[in-house]
Amino acid sequence: MQELWNTCALLEETRPRMSEFHVRSTIISRYAFTTVSCTMVNSGSEAREAVFEMQIPAAAFISNFTMSIGNKTYYGEVTGKEKKNSTDDKERHKKPPSPTEGRENGYETFKASVFIPRKMQARFMLHYEELLQRRLGKYEYTVSIRPQQLVGRLRVEVNILENSGIVSLEVPPLRNSKQKGSEKAEGDVSPPPSTVIGHTKTLAKVTFNPSVVEQAKIARNGILGDFIIRYDVSRELSVGDVQILNGYFVHYFAPTDLPPLPKNVVFVLDSSASMVGTKLKQTKEALFTILQDLRPEDHFNIIGFSNRIKVWQQDRLVPVTPNNIRDAKKYIHNMSPTGGTNINGALQTGAKLLNDYIAQNDIDARSVSLIIFLTDGRPTVGETQSSKILSNTKDAIRDKFCLFTIGIGNDVDHKLLERMALENCGMTRLFQEDEDAASHLKGFYDEIGTPLLSDIRVDYPEDDVEQVTQNFFPNYFNGSEIIIAGKLINRTSDKLHVEVTASNSKKYILLKTDVAIDLLSRNDIRDVPGLEDGKGDNNYIERAWSYLTIKELLNSRLKSDDIQEKDKLMEKAKSMALAYNFVTPFTVLKMKEAGLHSEPPQEEFISPSTDGIGEKVQSLQGHKAPPADGDPHFVIDFPSSKFSVCFNIDGEPGDILRLVSDHKESGVTVNGQLIGAPAPPNGHKKHRTYFSTITILSNKPERSYLEITPKRVILDDGERLVLSCGRSAVVRSRSLEVSISAYSNITVTIRDSISFVILIHHYKKPAPHQRNHLGFYISNSKGLSSDSHGLLGQFLNNEIKLLQESLNTSRWEVGQNQTEALKANPTNTLKVKGRLVPVVWKQRRIYNGQQEVDCWFAKNNADKLIDGSYKDYLASHPFDTGTSSGTIDSL
């Protein structure tokens, strides 16, 4: 083990501790302003590098970034990108994204690094903006929560204002895969633990405020996943929702309740050798489901391609019948991966097939024709030059129908697929090869599988508007949304005339109306509660217009082959990006020092506790691990019963309590020693007790122990190692991992199946009644046996019944109604292993008083709730495993 500990010692000093990670977002009429702030503390004895890394949606534009290190502040200034990039060491900027680029399918990584002097801290603040897109009937706002370590104060707050009215608001579980798509949730679909949701008709507030322990239960490495909010808005029929503010307008058009248009669709599927295994299997699974969803009025065909091109039904599209669907499934089932990738030939064949069908058949004039093209690689057979493939495809399609492209895996030419779709009125999606690929493919088809309108044109009087974004759209698909924005020329007018023309399955549609312009009180957000501190938020309609305009300029440049036109479009996009402070492919963020005497961020970084839960309009709490903290408070959550039980142990200073006892099975024992302190002023107790030492013993596969105090950690695994709680460190052996976050928390993981979190409550200037102490939490109990015991261990595998049936409500309904019902009847009885335990309804503070939990409280040292008396849980010494009396059990 000597060599092993030498290796571990090299890992002793780790990166600076992240003491705070806050995300605040304001979404106004689908336009989202997001601010991410992060504080890192270097408690070490020398300067250390801190890396701030944040995944943001690739469609978003960064609008500001600042860094404060000690007493110096650096701010980001958006400047035009020079042809040769600067190599200035201080320059930090997001890599220039293309409109749909993303190393993680729709995500970009922003990264900045600085050296923090010893005993100092750095604060990073990133701002970005995006216009939410409607897909499958919902807007989806996603924020990446991947701080890569457990964070003392982690909070996400999202405020949504939709004057049309908010409907169908939902917060699904955290998404650990970074892929987008339509995930079919299996099992638990409740919001993440500590999520609080509240909303009125037009305003919603969602907070996510997980404690260190709740974070550890999700992911010990701090990579929690994507926090997602989905919602839709109320809609009126007619021309849609036109919002006007300060001389700008944005027009949202998303009609519903229309009959679907017939489709003529050709599926062009890669069956080259590189599709072998998972990719082809998942493609087949998705296509089986997609074929089943085709409507009786649709027509379709399938082309498989590698170096050879195989058409299922020669020279025709077939109607949707049970026999044709059955035969198509057989054809797909029999596809086998072989050969190279002839992308050009496959698209030429598909386009000719669809063009000939349209020309030679008396098809419904209002039907929608499209090609869905899927590949996992780059062209290797036939024409392999991207520019030639693009021009050949455009010439073959001739604006007669749209091309939708899908790329799977890391080897795909995403720029080729993106441009092919852009030039031919389609969309592109990139998916990683993972277990969800089939559902992602199906989700993308669902977005385009139900066309409701074709040839949509939205017009406004030429004398009233200018600089209007795209106003003609070949198709409108169910669940999506058409967005147009522009500037008003005549600001004194009291109305704006709007006309929408389109075709649907039965007739030509013409909608017209006059929209009142005097809607300042409706769209002005300056007096909206909770949104008072927004700065750029007040021109949200103008910024939405600039966002859309820049996106269209980028797309137009991408589609253009004319160098002069490309330069002109680039200059126009750059000029607008500079005016609105957006980081784009043609602008960069340069860091400049603000001055030498700026005020550093204010923070008491010794405290590990989380912020309070905040406004509790509706509580949707997840499962909590049994903790022991404070004087010592014990809180046990019973997931299947949907309530928590709490109790106190009024021990004496010096007492050692057995918290977890599973020595015979998993080999794990946890003991906690109490320390005394005077009661606070006006307290009802003579003294208070806290945990001063936590001892963790394990005898499998080898014997080891940990002795933890607020100042140090002693680890003995054959070699003795002493670590300071004031220095971040990680120590690993074959079966044990100890991770110290300086003055914040310690995570202990045994055999990857048992995890404990110990919070360090450390006071800079303690009051007479305060003592530095520890809190103990079980974050993963999978490796503990069903015979576990101890004050906490006995509840890991036992459920408790509440005799009164008033609590048989769904977790989705937990909130004010249940709370009021409990207050009306604050006493009750629990049934535990046949024992009847009187309890009262209480709110207890945990995490050193920073968070409240509602629970049923058992009095008298948990009499009848726990097996025996609390004195039965007294250990004779910190290393007592309960297997022998009065002696140290061979450790």
Side-chain angles (χ1 to χ4, degrees):
M1 289 298 294
Q2 181 67 47
E3 182 179 345
L4 181 63
W5 286 125
N6 286 341
T7 303
C8 293
L10 295 175
L11 298 173
E12 182 178 332
E13 284 287 344
T14 56
R15 60 187 180 272
R17 173 175 65 88
M18 189 179 296
S19 64
E20 178 185 79
F21 181 87
H22 281 189
V23 179
R24 181 179 172 88
S25 175
T26 303
I27 304 170
I28 314 165
S29 294
R30 296 77 144 172
Y31 194 75
F33 299 85
T34 301
T35 300
V36 182
S37 64
C38 166
T39 302
M40 294 191 188
V41 181
N42 178 16
S43 55
S45 55
E46 59 186 37
R48 302 198 68 83
E49 185 181 33
V51 178
F52 170 68
E53 195 171 302
M54 182 71 190
Q55 284 190 343
I56 68 171
F61 287 146
I62 290 173
S63 56
N64 205 351
F65 178 61
T66 57
M67 298 187 297
S68 297
I69 304 105
N71 63 349
K72 292 185 179 181
T73 296
Y74 302 88
Y75 67 94
E77 184 179 88
V78 176
T79 63
K81 184 182 287 186
E82 300 168 11
K83 290 191 176 179
K84 193 171 185 179
N85 286 339
S86 167
T87 56
D88 183 353
D89 287 338
K90 289 183 181 178
E91 181 179 320
R92 312 283 182 196
H93 62 82
K94 190 170 87 135
K95 291 182 180 179
S98 65
T100 59
E101 184 186 21
R103 301 293 175 264
E104 304 288 355
N105 183 37
Y107 289 87
E108 296 257 334
T109 300
F110 176 89
K111 185 183 287 189
S113 62
V114 294
F115 275 86
I116 306 178
R118 60 185 292 273
K119 307 297 182 184
M120 295 187 79
Q121 64 182 18
R123 190 178 188 204
F124 305 88
M125 190 169 290
L126 176 69
H127 303 259
Y128 61 88
E129 300 174 22
E130 61 182 312
L131 183 62
L132 303 185
Q133 301 297 308
R134 188 170 184 257
R135 291 179 180 167
L136 302 173
K138 293 279 181 74
Y139 303 100
E140 181 173 291
Y141 174 78
T142 302
V143 60
S144 174
I145 313 294
R146 293 175 169 84
Q148 300 182 51
Q149 55 178 288
L150 301 180
V151 182
R153 292 188 294 276
L154 191 158
R155 181 178 175 86
V156 178
E157 179 181 317
V158 182
N159 294 285
I160 306 170
L161 173 64
E162 295 286 353
N163 282 320
S164 306
I166 298 169
V167 296
S168 306
L169 179 69
E170 64 181 31
V171 182
L174 290 167
R175 182 170 59 195
N176 289 312
S177 164
K178 303 176 190 70
Q179 311 309 316
K180 288 191 174 182
S182 84
E183 72 242 6
K184 301 292 182 186
E186 294 180 8
D188 184 19
V189 294
S190 59
S194 81
T195 300
V196 178
I197 303 172
H199 68 91
T200 62
K201 182 182 177 184
T202 60
L203 187 66
K205 181 176 183 178
V206 179
T207 59
F208 174 55
N209 186 202
S211 66
V212 167
V213 181
E214 287 166 324
Q215 294 170 49
K217 290 187 74 173
I218 298 166
R220 296 196 318 272
N221 60 7
I223 301 177
L224 275 62
D226 296 326
F227 184 75
I228 302 165
I229 297 173
R230 297 192 187 109
Y231 72 95
D232 200 12
V233 299
S234 301
R235 299 176 197 281
E236 296 178 0
L237 297 176
S238 83
V239 299
D241 180 17
V242 181
Q243 300 191 16
I244 299 169
L245 184 66
N246 297 337
Y248 292 84
F249 75 90
V250 63
H251 182 181
Y252 300 102
F253 182 59
T256 56
D257 300 323
L258 295 171
L261 298 172
K263 292 192 301 292
N264 309 307
V265 57
V266 177
F267 299 98
V268 182
L269 310 174
D270 190 341
S271 60
S272 61
S274 59
M275 287 286 288
V276 69
T278 306
K279 285 184 277 194
L280 189 57
K281 179 174 178 256
Q282 292 174 338
T283 299
K284 289 179 178 182
E285 284 177 16
L287 261 293
F288 291 157
T289 310
I290 288 168
L291 289 172
Q292 208 61 49
D293 287 351
L294 291 174
R295 296 183 180 83
E297 62 272 20
D298 295 340
H299 291 74
F300 73 106
N301 202 341
I302 302 165
I303 296 173
F305 74 95
S306 53
N307 53 332
R308 296 174 58 196
I309 296 161
K310 299 178 182 177
V311 182
W312 172 50
Q313 297 286 339
Q314 290 295 330
D315 303 325
R316 63 184 182 138
L317 270 66
V318 299
V320 174
T321 64
N323 287 344
N324 284 339
I325 295 297
R326 181 199 63 207
D327 293 345
K329 287 182 177 180
K330 283 183 186 175
Y331 175 79
I332 291 170
H333 176 75
N334 292 328
M335 286 174 67
S336 58
T338 181
T341 309
N342 188 351
I343 288 177
N344 184 73
L347 286 168
Q348 292 297 303
T349 303
K352 184 177 187 306
L353 185 67
L354 201 46
N355 271 318
D356 289 350
Y357 177 76
I358 293 170
Q360 296 168 10
N361 292 273
D362 184 22
I363 65 166
D364 189 320
R366 295 186 179 91
S367 64
V368 170
S369 300
L370 53 135
I371 291 178
I372 297 177
F373 175 82
L374 181 147
T375 185
D376 76 325
R378 300 169 182 270
T380 61
V381 175
E383 181 58 68
T384 57
Q385 194 174 332
S386 291
S387 59
K388 286 282 184 65
I389 295 173
L390 286 166
S391 60
N392 290 346
T393 303
K394 194 169 183 180
D395 290 343
I397 290 177
R398 301 193 303 274
D399 295 327
K400 294 287 182 65
F401 46 84
C402 297
L403 169 64
F404 297 85
T405 58
I406 301 168
I408 300 182
N410 295 319
D411 299 327
V412 73
D413 186 343
H414 62 87
K415 289 186 177 178
L416 174 63
L417 295 185
E418 176 190 23
R419 187 164 170 186
M420 281 198 303
L422 271 177
E423 290 185 351
N424 298 283
C425 72
M427 297 185 291
T428 190
R429 289 286 184 277
L430 304 177
F431 303 125
Q432 296 302 310
E433 180 186 357
D434 68 358
E435 68 279 2
D436 292 327
S439 64
H440 295 319
L441 291 172
K442 176 60 168 61
F444 181 48
Y445 172 78
D446 288 345
E447 288 185 49
I448 60 177
T450 309
L452 299 183
L453 295 172
S454 61
D455 301 330
I456 306 102
R457 185 177 181 87
V458 184
D459 287 305
Y460 316 89
E462 289 184 5
D463 294 339
D464 290 348
V465 299
E466 63 180 352
Q467 299 185 47
V468 176
T469 58
Q470 177 186 343
N471 69 333
F472 176 79
F473 305 86
N475 300 298
Y476 164 70
F477 298 101
N478 188 39
S480 66
E481 184 169 59
I482 287 172
I483 308 174
I484 309 105
K487 295 175 69 173
L488 299 179
I489 296 174
N490 184 4
R491 293 198 181 194
T492 60
S493 176
D494 60 354
K495 64 184 178 181
L496 175 65
H497 185 71
V498 182
E499 286 191 5
V500 179
T501 57
S503 299
N504 79 348
S505 62
K506 294 184 178 176
K507 60 183 177 181
Y508 177 79
I509 294 176
L510 172 62
L511 302 170
K512 57 171 94 172
T513 193
D514 288 335
V515 179
I517 289 181
D518 58 345
L519 296 179
L520 287 179
S521 60
R522 182 171 184 263
N523 293 326
D524 195 330
I525 63 164
R526 282 175 291 189
D527 297 323
V528 175
L531 304 183
E532 305 91 341
D533 55 351
K535 292 180 181 176
D537 307 6
N538 288 325
N539 336 337
Y540 65 96
I541 291 180
E542 180 182 351
R543 295 193 73 82
W545 165 78
S546 67
Y547 174 97
L548 274 177
T549 302
I550 293 171
K551 288 288 183 186
E552 288 187 6
L553 290 168
L554 296 177
N555 284 346
S556 297
R557 183 179 182 274
L558 189 65
K559 290 192 287 186
S560 176
D561 290 320
D562 185 289
I563 294 176
Q564 287 186 334
E565 184 187 27
K566 286 172 88 77
D567 287 345
K568 186 178 176 183
L569 290 165
M570 179 190 74
E571 288 302 322
K572 206 171 176 183
K574 183 195 291 188
S575 174
M576 184 168 276
L578 290 173
Y580 288 92
N581 219 58
F582 285 147
V583 178
T584 69
F586 312 123
T587 52
V588 295
L589 200 61
K590 289 191 175 181
M591 302 309 296
K592 297 194 173 183
E593 189 171 343
L596 297 176
H597 303 290
S598 56
E599 191 70 23
Q602 298 297 309
E603 180 185 351
E604 283 291 313
F605 60 82
I606 293 298
S607 171
S609 56
T610 61
D611 288 343
I613 281 184
E615 175 188 356
K616 186 174 283 190
V617 182
Q618 181 182 10
S619 177
L620 300 171
Q621 295 177 331
H623 302 161
K624 293 184 177 63
D629 207 342
D631 182 21
H633 301 317
F634 295 82
V635 181
I636 297 112
D637 185 51
F638 295 94
S640 63
S641 302
K642 299 183 176 63
F643 61 82
S644 298
V645 176
C646 49
F647 60 93
N648 290 352
I649 295 296
D650 296 326
E652 295 295 325
D655 281 355
I656 300 169
L657 302 179
R658 187 169 289 115
L659 304 177
V660 177
S661 179
D662 195 30
H663 186 76
K664 290 182 180 178
E665 299 297 330
S666 67
V668 173
T669 301
V670 182
N671 296 326
Q673 185 163 3
L674 299 180
I675 188 175
N682 304 318
H684 64 280
K685 293 184 178 181
K686 293 181 181 178
H687 67 264
R688 305 182 76 178
T689 52
Y690 303 91
F691 286 115
S692 62
T693 307
I694 298 290
T695 308
I696 301 172
L697 307 102
S698 174
N699 70 349
K700 294 181 181 179
E702 61 266 333
R703 294 182 177 184
S704 59
Y705 75 82
L706 278 165
E707 187 177 49
I708 301 168
T709 72
K711 289 188 175 181
R712 68 180 186 178
V713 175
I714 299 174
L715 191 155
D716 196 320
D717 196 356
E719 296 289 333
R720 183 179 170 90
L721 193 65
V722 180
L723 300 169
S724 167
C725 290
R727 297 167 68 186
S728 295
V730 175
V731 178
R732 296 183 183 91
S733 69
R734 281 182 296 166
S735 61
L736 191 68
E737 178 179 301
V738 181
S739 176
I740 302 173
S741 182
Y743 290 125
S744 177
N745 63 81
I746 299 164
T747 305
V748 178
T749 305
I750 302 170
R751 298 188 297 274
D752 282 327
S753 61
I754 302 169
S755 294
F756 305 126
V757 177
I758 295 92
L759 295 192
I760 305 168
H761 299 303
H762 191 279
Y763 299 97
K764 274 187 171 180
K765 297 178 180 178
H769 62 277
Q770 292 177 324
R771 297 288 184 272
N772 293 340
H773 65 280
L774 304 172
F776 176 78
Y777 301 78
I778 302 173
S779 60
N780 182 3
S781 61
K782 288 180 182 176
L784 295 172
S785 76
S786 57
D787 294 329
S788 295
H789 212 263
L791 280 170
L792 295 178
Q794 65 185 294
F795 297 107
L796 291 173
N797 298 291
N798 290 310
E799 288 297 332
I800 291 181
K801 290 184 179 179
L802 189 63
L803 294 189
Q804 181 178 308
E805 296 300 319
S806 63
L807 282 184
N808 287 343
T809 55
S810 162
R811 175 62 83 185
W812 291 100
E813 297 170 358
V814 171
Q816 287 182 330
N817 291 341
Q818 178 184 326
T819 305
E820 293 304 318
L822 293 170
K823 286 179 180 175
N825 185 14
T827 61
N828 220 311
T829 303
L830 298 177
K831 189 172 184 179
V832 185
K833 298 181 182 178
R835 303 186 295 264
L836 298 181
V837 185
V839 289
V840 295
W841 178 250
K842 276 197 174 185
Q843 281 192 327
R844 301 311 306 264
R845 290 187 176 273
I846 57 174
Y847 309 127
N848 203 27
Q850 294 297 314
Q851 193 163 321
E852 286 186 344
V853 60
D854 297 329
C855 59
W856 290 105
F857 179 70
K859 297 180 179 179
N860 303 323
N861 277 320
D863 182 40
K864 297 183 181 177
L865 176 67
I866 58 175
D867 295 336
S869 159
Y870 93 91
K871 291 185 178 180
D872 297 330
Y873 297 85
L874 294 177
S876 58
H877 51 77
F879 303 97
D880 184 0
T881 62
T883 55
S884 55
S885 177
T887 61
I888 296 178
D889 182 49
S890 66
L891 277 168

